Amino acid sequence: MKNSHVGTGGRWWHQLGLGLGLLLSAAVVQAQVAIESVSGSLQSGVEVVKIDLSEALSTLPTGFSIQSPARIALDFPDVVSAIGRSTIEVNQGNLKSVSVVQAGSRSRVVINLKQPTTYKTQWQGKSLLVSLDALASSVPAPAAQLFAENQNRGVLPLRDLDFRRGDEGAGRVVVSLPNSQVGVDIRQQGQLLVVEFMKTSLPEGLRRRLDVNDFGTPVKTIATTQSGDRVRMAIEPQGVWTHSAYQTDEQFVIEIKPVKVDASKLTQGPGFTGEKLSLNFQNIDVRSLLQVIADFTNFNVITSDSVTGTVTLRLQDVPWDQALDIILQSKGLGMRKTGNVLWIAPKDEINAKEKLDLEAAAALQNLEPLRTQSFQMNYTKAAEVAAQLTATSGGTGATASSSRLLSPRGSVIAETRTNQLFVTDIPSKLEQVQQLMAKLDIPVRQVLIEARIVEASDTFGKSLGVKFGSADLRAQQGGDGGYAIGGDNRVVFGTSYGNAVASSGAGGTVDLTSGFVNLPAISQNGYSPATFALSIFSSAANRFLNLELSALEADGKGKVVSSPRVVTADQIKALIEQGTELPYQVASSSGATSIAFRKANLKLEVTPQITPEGNIILSLDVNKDTVGQSTTAGFAINTKHIQTQVLVENGGTVVIGGIFEMTESEDVTKVPLLGDLPGVGNLFKNRSRIANKQEMLVFITPKVLADKATR
């Protein structure tokens, strides 16, 4: 009894907890905005859908409309559904029903219509009113409305039309609508996919036919035209494809995806995509189980007599192709599919049958009559194609494998004069050769490669120097009027230190060039420095004091631009060069000499490779050589060389390399101690400063040349 009492108390607490949980959930729902009711009515001849909420929202909900089936969808973010049912039947006028679906914290209201139409939304307190426009056929129109200008009233233009390549080779047609309420009708007419945008117009800039076959998607062309008060878009896909469409605000996207068809698979698509089934059998015969699956899938099944045994299985909601694969693997069986017929037999039996078929086909090739077909080569050389057709995959003699494409009985002859190819082989091999020729005999794209080699130099040099000395005239006698001994003190100016001389009274001269400081300025760029000389004569001491200052400053800037360019075919090496060949002597081992030449030139050697994405891979070898200084063995060559491989976009420019040199030096030559004196020390020193900068950059710009058809 005690245990029973405890169990009853536990159930009471459990029920109390559930009740509290329900109350808390109800409180959360009450706290969040909820859709309380949906109703349809007719107000002043206009059909209106009224959506009552527990609280008004700050913005109108986003939505879109679908033409087939006719629907209007409105999304309410952060809104839950408090309606006890998901579908409300209306059946009034154009309204059929209204569905309310909640996914997480978002609710979607779907208005199901009988015919497509446009709508308007507005808030009225806590209620959202969705007003449906009247149908064109429901109200008789006067005769004046049949004119085109009245029919196009309210028509809005499309804003943009674009095509993009999506994932896995899918083609996406992106249309920018004037607003989110434009009606769209999508239908398939034969191989075409037709999309119509209601109550819209097509601007003149968008009226064109797009050829998008080069994008590598199932879509070949997109033709957009104006048809009355709607825009008609015809999309022409190719191959096996499937399409889907979705709208986000004012952007409508049609996506066409390719479907890879594998004839050996039971269902197309990745993994197992068949319709799901449930199987629960005890010791059922395998042949009977295969018959059950055949009845479910409507496939014709041929079962070999060697298929026996029973199987026990229980499968719940499993794709039928996966279920069949599990059954075949469990019993060691194989399957071959031909159309809608399945042949099921043990794997050894299937392999033996296929081996016999291959041996029979090989034997038939040896008996099949040969045929000769000629192929005219337009862009490739027939001899090169013939070598590829007869090339072996490896080995020599008896170990060499057969040719890659021709049969053992096949042969090929290349006629170089007319550039034709004559192939003799069985008809099946000739068809393969023809398919190969269609891919090989095509014009090769060409590339223009332009290089710019820019060399800039900035040089600066400065030098200051001094000569300082004196002469003693006490041993001289006599003089003249210009340099009278014992006369007044004199100052003599000259352009050079060596010009300061004194004449003796006996008619001789006194050399004043001797001095104890000789630190003149150095020359720059082959020019001597400017000088200024000063000589002071003292009659009392019979002495000359001599001073010469020299200074030179040089500043230079230079720029050299070299721009070689060359056009070549894809993956073909090209070379262009210009320069000088310099002779020099070469001595042989016997002592004889001969003249050889070495190039000092500008050279561009390049091999382009165009990638599938349209970019260009360049293998580059660039030389910029110039004649240098003269030596006893001949002229030296100043070289600038770069060799690299780069990936550049079509029409883009890239700097593949550069060299920067900077030389800075500052030299001071002085007399010890005297040169360190402040102020006066400048008379006992020589200063020179050099700052040189040189830079070289190499720019490369490749561009794929358009063919004649594109031009």
Side-chain angles (χ1 to χ4, degrees):
M1 293 296 293
K2 184 176 180 180
N3 293 336
S4 176
H5 178 71
V6 172
T8 303
R11 286 194 299 271
W12 183 83
W13 282 107
H14 180 66
Q15 293 175 357
L16 179 60
L18 288 176
L20 291 175
L22 292 175
L23 289 176
L24 291 175
S25 300
V28 171
V29 172
Q30 290 295 330
Q32 193 173 8
V33 181
I35 299 177
E36 297 178 343
S37 63
V38 179
S39 61
S41 61
L42 189 64
Q43 299 179 6
S44 301
V46 179
E47 297 175 353
V48 177
V49 178
K50 184 179 180 182
I51 305 173
D52 297 326
L53 285 81
S54 61
E55 183 180 341
L57 301 179
S58 58
T59 59
L60 291 172
T62 60
F64 60 92
S65 60
I66 302 175
Q67 294 293 311
S68 179
R71 290 177 180 174
I72 297 174
L74 301 174
D75 288 336
F76 295 83
D78 299 327
V79 175
V80 298
S81 175
I83 303 176
R85 47 182 177 165
S86 60
T87 303
I88 298 94
E89 297 291 338
V90 179
N91 291 325
Q92 179 181 356
N94 193 26
L95 281 171
K96 293 172 60 178
S97 62
V98 180
S99 301
V100 182
V101 182
Q102 180 180 345
S105 61
R106 185 188 68 172
S107 296
R108 170 171 289 186
V109 177
V110 180
I111 303 174
N112 301 308
L113 306 175
K114 298 177 182 178
Q115 297 183 23
T117 184
T118 57
Y119 67 95
K120 298 178 182 178
T121 57
Q122 62 178 357
W123 286 107
Q124 189 179 59
K126 299 180 181 180
S127 301
L128 178 69
L129 300 182
V130 184
S131 303
L132 305 180
D133 293 342
L135 299 176
S137 59
S138 61
V139 179
Q145 293 183 353
L146 297 178
F147 291 99
E149 58 269 19
N150 292 331
Q151 286 183 345
N152 292 333
R153 182 175 300 170
V155 174
L156 300 176
L158 296 180
R159 293 189 298 173
D160 194 13
L161 172 63
D162 192 12
F163 180 82
R164 303 171 186 172
R165 175 183 169 89
D167 298 334
E168 299 179 357
R172 292 179 180 175
V173 183
V174 182
V175 182
S176 297
L177 304 176
N179 54 57
S180 60
Q181 300 179 6
V182 174
V184 183
D185 182 20
I186 303 178
R187 62 184 183 275
Q188 186 174 350
Q189 293 181 353
Q191 187 64 14
L192 293 179
L193 184 64
V194 179
V195 185
E196 291 186 347
F197 302 93
M198 308 301 175
K199 296 291 183 180
T200 56
S201 63
L202 188 64
E204 190 67 27
L206 300 180
R207 297 187 181 184
R208 58 182 183 266
R209 181 178 182 270
L210 300 178
D211 187 354
V212 295
N213 196 26
D214 293 339
F215 281 80
T217 67
V219 183
K220 292 177 59 179
T221 59
I222 303 172
T224 311
T225 57
Q226 184 75 44
S227 177
D229 62 345
R230 63 183 63 184
V231 175
R232 184 178 187 271
M233 178 186 295
I235 304 174
E236 182 184 359
Q238 58 185 347
V240 183
W241 50 274
T242 181
H243 77 280
S244 61
Y246 57 90
Q247 181 177 345
T248 304
D249 295 334
E250 298 175 356
Q251 189 179 73
F252 188 81
V253 180
I254 307 105
E255 188 173 46
I256 295 92
K257 295 182 178 180
V259 177
K260 297 181 180 179
V261 179
D262 189 354
S264 62
K265 290 191 63 176
L266 298 175
T267 57
Q268 302 302 323
F272 300 101
T273 58
E275 188 177 352
K276 294 183 179 181
L277 55 75
S278 299
L279 299 174
N280 190 356
F281 293 104
Q282 282 277 353
N283 294 327
I284 184 175
D285 185 65
V286 174
R287 302 173 67 89
S288 301
L289 182 58
L290 295 176
Q291 185 61 40
V292 171
I293 296 178
D295 295 339
F296 180 79
T297 60
N298 293 326
F299 268 98
N300 300 316
V301 178
I302 299 176
T303 306
S304 174
D305 295 338
S306 54
V307 176
T308 58
T310 60
V311 64
T312 299
L313 75 163
R314 183 182 183 277
L315 301 175
Q316 188 71 24
D317 290 337
V318 176
W320 71 266
D321 49 348
Q322 184 181 9
L324 179 59
D325 184 70
I326 293 173
I327 295 170
L328 296 180
Q329 289 186 11
S330 63
K331 304 303 291 185
L333 303 176
M335 177 198 66
R336 292 296 180 269
K337 177 176 174 291
T338 305
N340 64 341
V341 178
L342 302 181
W343 174 44
I344 299 176
K347 293 182 179 180
D348 295 339
E349 182 178 340
I350 293 178
N351 294 336
K353 176 67 169 56
E354 290 181 345
K355 181 180 179 181
L356 291 176
D357 292 341
L358 293 176
E359 291 176 350
L364 184 62
Q365 287 186 358
N366 296 328
L367 301 176
E368 193 173 359
L370 300 179
R371 188 163 58 89
T372 302
Q373 184 174 347
S374 63
F375 299 92
Q376 178 65 53
M377 299 290 101
N378 299 317
Y379 303 101
T380 58
K381 295 182 180 180
E384 295 179 357
V385 178
Q388 294 176 357
L389 293 177
T390 57
T392 56
S393 59
T396 57
T399 62
S401 60
S402 61
S403 60
R404 290 184 294 177
L405 192 61
L406 299 180
S407 66
R409 302 167 58 199
S411 61
V412 58
I413 299 175
E415 209 285 315
T416 57
R417 186 176 61 86
T418 60
N419 201 30
Q420 292 190 57
L421 204 66
F422 297 91
V423 182
T424 301
D425 212 328
I426 59 178
S428 60
K429 291 295 182 180
L430 291 178
E431 184 178 356
Q432 296 179 15
V433 172
Q434 187 171 6
Q435 295 175 359
L436 179 63
M437 294 301 103
K439 296 181 179 180
L440 291 180
D441 191 27
I442 58 176
V444 180
R445 289 182 291 179
Q446 300 184 94
V447 184
L448 169 65
I449 301 101
E450 180 180 359
R452 285 185 178 270
I453 305 172
V454 181
E455 298 175 272
S457 62
D458 186 357
T459 61
F460 177 79
K462 183 178 181 181
S463 179
L464 294 175
V466 63
K467 283 185 178 182
F468 185 58
S470 65
D472 190 356
L473 302 180
R474 288 177 299 177
Q476 306 294 331
Q477 297 180 0
D480 55 14
Y483 298 95
I485 302 300
D488 298 333
N489 296 335
R490 303 297 178 94
V491 177
V492 181
F493 297 95
T495 59
S496 175
Y497 183 94
N499 292 335
V501 295
S503 299
S504 66
T509 60
V510 179
D511 187 6
L512 304 180
T513 59
S514 62
F516 52 85
V517 177
N518 187 11
L519 297 173
I522 63 175
S523 61
Q524 299 284 341
N525 296 335
Y527 291 93
S528 300
T531 60
F532 176 78
L534 175 64
S535 296
I536 301 176
F537 172 70
S538 175
S539 60
N542 288 327
R543 286 181 174 84
F544 268 99
L545 182 62
N546 309 301
L547 175 64
E548 179 182 289
L549 300 178
S550 57
L552 183 64
E553 181 175 317
D555 191 2
K557 296 180 186 292
K559 182 179 181 181
V560 179
V561 178
S562 306
S563 180
R565 62 185 67 184
V566 65
V567 178
T568 182
D570 184 21
Q571 301 188 29
I572 301 299
K573 180 186 293 186
L575 172 65
I576 183 172
E577 61 180 351
Q578 176 190 11
T580 305
E581 290 193 358
L582 302 176
Y584 63 96
Q585 289 186 350
V586 178
S588 62
S589 58
S590 61
T593 60
S594 61
I595 301 298
F597 292 89
R598 183 181 177 186
K599 293 181 179 181
N601 57 4
L602 169 66
K603 184 185 73 171
L604 171 62
E605 183 177 320
V606 58
T607 304
Q609 178 184 348
I610 304 175
T611 64
E613 296 83 7
N615 298 328
I616 304 172
I617 299 175
L618 298 175
S619 297
L620 292 161
D621 191 352
V622 182
N623 271 21
K624 180 65 171 65
D625 299 341
T626 57
V627 179
Q629 62 184 359
S630 178
T631 64
T632 56
F635 285 97
I637 296 179
N638 301 326
T639 63
K640 298 180 180 66
H641 184 207
I642 183 171
Q643 184 175 0
T644 184
Q645 186 180 75
V646 292
L647 174 64
V648 192
E649 63 180 3
N650 183 20
T653 301
V654 63
V655 181
I656 63 172
I659 300 174
F660 178 76
E661 296 181 65
M662 183 174 65
T663 303
E664 290 185 352
S665 64
E666 185 170 355
D667 300 326
V668 177
T669 305
K670 61 185 178 180
V671 177
L673 299 179
L674 296 178
D676 297 330
L677 296 176
V680 183
N682 292 323
L683 299 176
F684 302 95
K685 67 175 63 174
N686 171 282
R687 295 176 182 271
S688 63
R689 186 167 73 90
I690 298 176
N692 295 335
K693 297 179 182 179
Q694 291 184 343
E695 185 174 10
M696 184 192 74
L697 293 175
V698 181
F699 301 84
I700 294 293
T701 303
K703 183 179 181 181
V704 178
L705 299 181
D707 55 13
K708 185 181 298 183
T710 304
R711 291 195 299 268

